[in-house]
Amino acid sequence: MDSYTNIMGIPVPKLTMAQTVERIGGVVEGERREELFHVVTLNPEIAMACQHDLELRGIVDRAGLLTADGIGIVMVSRLKGNPLPERVTGCDLLLELLAEGDGRRWTFYLLGADEQTNETAAQVIRAKYPGAVVAGRHHGYFGAEDEERIVEEIRWCSPDFLIVALGAPNAERFIHKYRRQLNAKVAMGVGGSLDIIAGKVPRAPLVWRKLNAEWLFRLLNQPSRWRRQLILPRFAVRALLYRRR
Ligand code: UDP
């Protein structure tokens, strides 16, 4: 049984990165199910949106696994006296799963980012993790009229992992909507991770990550994000004051 910490009414399991990879690995090595296993990397934006967006809240509640995406979530858990062990961000988790999949020949479908970035990310993955299989890929700039065709393509590839880089919460909504049709074992929204893997956006150096300052690095490198990051202090205050209603 997992123990949980409560982030604005959302129970987040207290799992380390290694435990998370092991849990997901167990799902991948098991039988393929009709409904995929949805991993939601919970960041402050999703936690805040869940307070008024009941549809999104329903998606989060039905997820197979939640992870603590970002230091904001971990800090709140610490300040509330029920600490999560560490950050398990979408990008870090994806890299760990690729490394594990390299040894186990896991298959990945990459959906999202612009065409050039998606293609480069696939090439980088093939070069760095030759044992992991990129079973298929599609860029993330498509209209509603293309969805059925893309879902059919993913279904045909029957990947172990569907990696969705459409930005949150679009990725979560897409995965949830098609969870019974996609024929993947595990699906996960990973934000801008394909941009990082492709080298389009620089990754915070290890020392910044160790200092839990990845958010600052991203802000300095993509100043256009400042508006989005304003949500962090608001999230911290609301999450600390949150009382179960
Ligand atoms: N994206 C996409 N289709 C869209 C909008 C965004 O594929 O219609 C991609 C975008 O190219 C980027 C990712 O989604 O690769 C979102 O990155 P962002 O840094 O905004 O995500 P975050 O990590 O903040 O969730």
Side-chain angles (χ1 to χ4, degrees):
M1 260 307 268
D2 292 330
S3 60
Y4 293 86
T5 193
N6 184 315
I7 302 289
M8 295 180 102
I10 302 167
V12 183
K14 295 160 94 171
L15 297 179
T16 61
M17 173 63 87
Q19 290 167 329
T20 305
V21 171
E22 199 186 323
R23 178 74 55 91
I24 297 172
V27 175
V28 175
E29 298 295 332
E31 291 288 304
R32 191 172 294 269
R33 292 172 188 270
E34 192 194 343
E35 184 168 327
L36 52 71
F37 185 85
H38 187 178
V39 179
V40 173
T41 59
L42 185 76
N43 63 20
E45 279 168 297
I46 299 184
M48 290 282 272
C50 278
Q51 304 307 304
H52 56 82
D53 183 338
L54 294 183
E55 190 202 334
L56 183 60
R57 179 63 207 254
I59 295 174
V60 168
D61 284 344
R62 290 195 56 167
L65 187 63
L66 297 182
T67 75
D69 189 354
I71 192 60
I73 301 275
V74 175
M75 286 301 276
V76 164
S77 74
R78 284 186 193 151
L79 291 168
K80 292 199 89 170
N82 191 12
L84 289 159
E86 61 180 337
R87 291 186 315 151
V88 180
T89 68
C91 186
D92 289 328
L93 181 55
L94 174 58
L95 295 174
E96 292 287 335
L97 290 169
L98 285 167
E100 189 72 19
D102 190 20
R104 303 214 218 171
R105 291 206 65 77
W106 286 344
T107 61
F108 294 79
Y109 189 102
L110 310 179
L111 175 64
D114 62 75
E115 171 58 20
Q116 177 67 57
T117 303
N118 183 294
E119 188 185 2
T120 309
Q123 281 168 2
V124 170
I125 290 171
R126 287 188 178 115
K128 262 191 164 167
Y129 310 96
V133 181
V134 179
R137 60 173 200 84
H138 197 287
H139 65 79
Y141 290 86
F142 51 84
E145 67 283 3
D146 299 316
E147 283 189 11
E148 225 169 89
R149 173 182 57 80
I150 294 169
V151 169
E152 194 46 48
E153 186 184 311
I154 297 169
R155 186 178 173 75
W156 185 81
C157 287
S158 64
D160 291 324
F161 288 91
L162 170 61
I163 300 301
V164 187
L166 295 174
N170 290 346
E172 286 66 30
R173 291 193 207 283
F174 180 90
I175 292 168
H176 183 74
K177 182 170 175 192
Y178 296 110
R179 66 194 179 281
R180 295 206 183 86
Q181 282 131 276
L182 287 162
N183 200 24
K185 286 186 173 173
V186 176
M188 177 168 92
V190 295
S193 302
L194 296 186
D195 302 55
I196 292 179
I197 290 175
K200 184 180 170 198
V201 169
R203 179 143 200 243
L206 192 59
V207 40
W208 287 69
R209 281 182 268 146
K210 285 223 158 107
L211 290 170
N212 289 320
E214 192 161 12
W215 63 273
L216 180 59
F217 182 86
R218 292 183 83 180
L219 184 60
L220 294 173
N221 278 280
Q222 296 170 275
S224 56
R225 295 177 70 94
W226 73 269
R227 217 177 259 285
R228 285 179 55 186
Q229 293 205 347
L230 284 181
I231 205 166
L232 280 172
R234 282 201 290 133
F235 160 74
V237 171
R238 284 195 59 183
L240 288 172
L241 295 177
Y242 183 87
R243 293 267 172 282
R244 215 179 287 249
R245 279 176 282 252

